[in-house]
Amino acid sequence: MTMRLDLFCRVIDNYGDIGICWRLARQLHAEHGIAVRLWVDDLASFQRLCPDVDTSAENQVVQGVAVRHWRDQDGMYTPEAVADIVIEFFAVDLPPHYVAAMAQCTPRPVWFNFEGLTAEEWVEGCHRLTSPHPQLPLTKHFFFPGFTDKTGGLLREAALFDERRAFLADPALASDFLQSLGASPAELAATRVSVFCYPFAPVAPLFEAWQGGAEAITCFVPEGVATQAVQGFLGGDAVAGAVATRGHLTVRVLPFVQQPDYDKLLWACDVNLVRGEDSWVRAQWAGKPFVWHIYPQDDNLHHKKLRAFLQRYAVGLDAISAFTLAWNGVHLDADWPALWRGLRAEAPQIAARAVAWEREVTAYGDLTGNLVAFAQSLR
């Protein structure tokens, strides 16, 4: 009998939340044969990552995954409608009547609170912890992604590394892909950088450093990202297809691409500036130098989370640590030309660290496989 799974997602960080949930849902279906129903409140953001999504449909099937438009907390549910595994993403509140129906099931479903990724040590003590419901005979389990064998690991499809190796083995594939997005031969010949960041990133001063530097740089920015800085550089609207060259910098605005194509963009670039969680993990799997822009929290609590990752990943990589801290506003008097030169000079050490990091983290298994194995142990 096919196992059923319900995944509830509210889109807070525009693309990060649905990006993670969509990857998880696809992998659960494709690699584990699970019947997945993805409940999501923002179909418009979902459609930007997956054009197959119909924003007007209440119920649809996309790439084998049932997608339901989650409008509100109302509705009546029977035990038969409840899945075998229920995942609330980032502690969203499930519909109360759905939870009541869960309590009537025999056996009761496995219930997960799927948490955010962090390198902080405290998650090792919280991963797999239980949380009994205060009124109903239900128990929730916390599931944390992470970077050690005491966490759930990272999202990674079984074929990902083979696809990356095949792509990188043939330089024409990267050229053809970038040309399909509008890049010219001159843009391809330059150092290629992708930028995906939050609005408060210091993009304008970095553009100035690149423009006045000695290295020809092509910067690829998705439409809607760093709009103010990009428009300032372009001297016009930052729409897909817009491009301008000033000094040694060319900035090209790209359309949003589907997740498999975003991986290709990361593989095709020499340096990747990424944000949030989903693109951060994909940058780690790309094996290229990357700079992480972390989601902001009150009282700069995100800086602690940022340092925890750098202390784990960037051991001996002083330049990438310095650049990342400045990019996240830890150092406000940043010398961007010097930071960029340091990052580029450190490229060989970063490449070696990427290989070692990949070997280290993959030893703990992939997140989806670990989650399924844990769920099966609870049934």
Side-chain angles (χ1 to χ4, degrees):
M1 184 175 179
T2 302
M3 185 175 293
R4 299 176 301 152
L5 183 146
D6 274 349
L7 172 56
F8 290 81
C9 172
R10 290 201 182 279
V11 178
I12 305 299
D13 176 18
N14 288 345
Y15 312 110
D17 306 293
I18 185 57
I20 296 167
C21 287
W22 181 227
R23 289 191 193 279
L24 177 61
R26 290 205 319 272
Q27 191 178 0
L28 285 164
H29 168 70
E31 297 184 15
H32 298 276
I34 295 174
V36 180
R37 182 167 53 177
L38 174 59
W39 301 65
V40 58
D41 65 335
D42 183 353
L43 294 179
S45 291
F46 191 2
Q47 188 188 55
R48 295 200 73 184
L49 298 179
C50 179
D52 295 341
V53 172
D54 180 354
T55 58
S56 65
E58 294 299 309
N59 295 281
Q60 58 190 300
V61 177
V62 183
Q63 299 180 26
V65 175
V67 176
R68 179 158 183 173
H69 190 186
W70 184 16
R71 290 187 177 277
D72 51 45
Q73 295 293 78
D74 297 331
M76 300 301 295
Y77 304 89
T78 64
E80 292 74 24
V82 173
D84 305 301
I85 304 172
V86 179
I87 300 177
E88 55 183 52
F89 187 73
F90 283 11
V92 300
D93 291 326
L94 301 183
H97 290 292
Y98 187 96
V99 176
M102 289 168 59
Q104 299 173 37
C105 293
T106 303
R108 295 185 180 89
V110 176
W111 185 7
F112 287 129
N113 179 5
F114 190 108
E115 287 285 354
L117 173 62
T118 179
E120 295 168 290
E121 292 184 359
W122 62 263
V123 301
E124 295 185 342
C126 296
H127 180 56
R128 296 191 175 192
L129 276 185
T130 59
S131 176
H133 193 281
Q135 285 90 35
L136 300 173
L138 293 168
T139 299
K140 184 190 310 183
H141 292 80
F142 290 92
F143 196 91
F144 281 85
F147 303 100
T148 74
D149 59 355
K150 296 181 177 63
T151 66
L154 301 179
L155 276 170
R156 173 177 49 85
E157 300 83 2
L160 179 63
F161 293 159
D162 288 340
E163 293 171 355
R164 186 192 67 192
R165 280 190 286 268
F167 185 88
L168 294 177
D170 184 355
L173 293 177
S175 296
D176 291 346
F177 171 71
L178 293 175
Q179 285 178 330
S180 74
L181 298 175
S184 68
E187 291 168 35
L188 298 179
T191 297
R192 302 188 291 249
V193 183
S194 75
V195 173
F196 187 44
C197 61
Y198 294 111
F200 56 88
V203 175
L206 182 58
F207 279 1
E208 290 179 10
W210 286 341
Q211 181 178 337
E215 181 181 15
I217 294 174
T218 301
C219 177
F220 298 106
V221 186
E223 186 177 19
V225 172
T227 302
Q228 185 175 355
V230 173
Q231 288 184 163
F233 182 86
L234 295 175
D237 293 338
V239 296
V243 61
T245 299
R246 300 180 187 277
H248 285 92
L249 172 63
T250 298
V251 174
R252 174 172 290 278
V253 182
L254 302 181
F256 252 77
V257 296
Q258 298 186 54
Q259 287 181 330
D261 282 344
Y262 183 68
D263 283 326
K264 292 179 182 178
L265 178 64
L266 296 176
W267 301 340
C269 286
D270 300 296
V271 180
N272 295 300
L273 278 62
V274 295
R275 81 180 198 191
E277 181 171 329
D278 184 53
S279 61
W280 173 37
V281 172
R282 303 315 283 191
Q284 292 175 58
W285 295 145
K288 299 293 186 73
F290 68 90
V291 176
W292 178 33
H293 201 210
I294 189 171
Y295 189 80
Q297 293 177 290
D298 292 338
D299 300 322
N300 287 328
L301 291 177
H302 56 295
H303 287 165
K304 181 179 179 182
K305 182 177 178 180
L306 177 67
R307 291 182 186 277
F309 175 70
L310 291 174
Q311 289 167 5
R312 192 179 294 274
Y313 176 82
V315 178
L317 302 177
D318 295 341
I320 199 169
S321 292
F323 194 106
T324 301
L325 291 171
W327 188 240
N328 284 275
V330 177
H331 304 308
L332 299 178
D333 55 346
D335 182 343
W336 290 106
L339 287 169
W340 177 249
R341 288 194 299 269
L343 183 68
R344 295 295 286 147
E346 202 173 63
Q349 297 96 304
I350 296 172
R353 178 55 179 149
V355 173
W357 179 253
E358 182 177 300
R359 186 185 308 116
E360 177 183 331
V361 178
T362 55
Y364 309 131
D366 75 281
L367 183 146
T368 305
N370 291 339
L371 185 144
V372 171
F374 183 41
Q376 291 173 336
S377 73
L378 296 172
R379 290 189 60 79

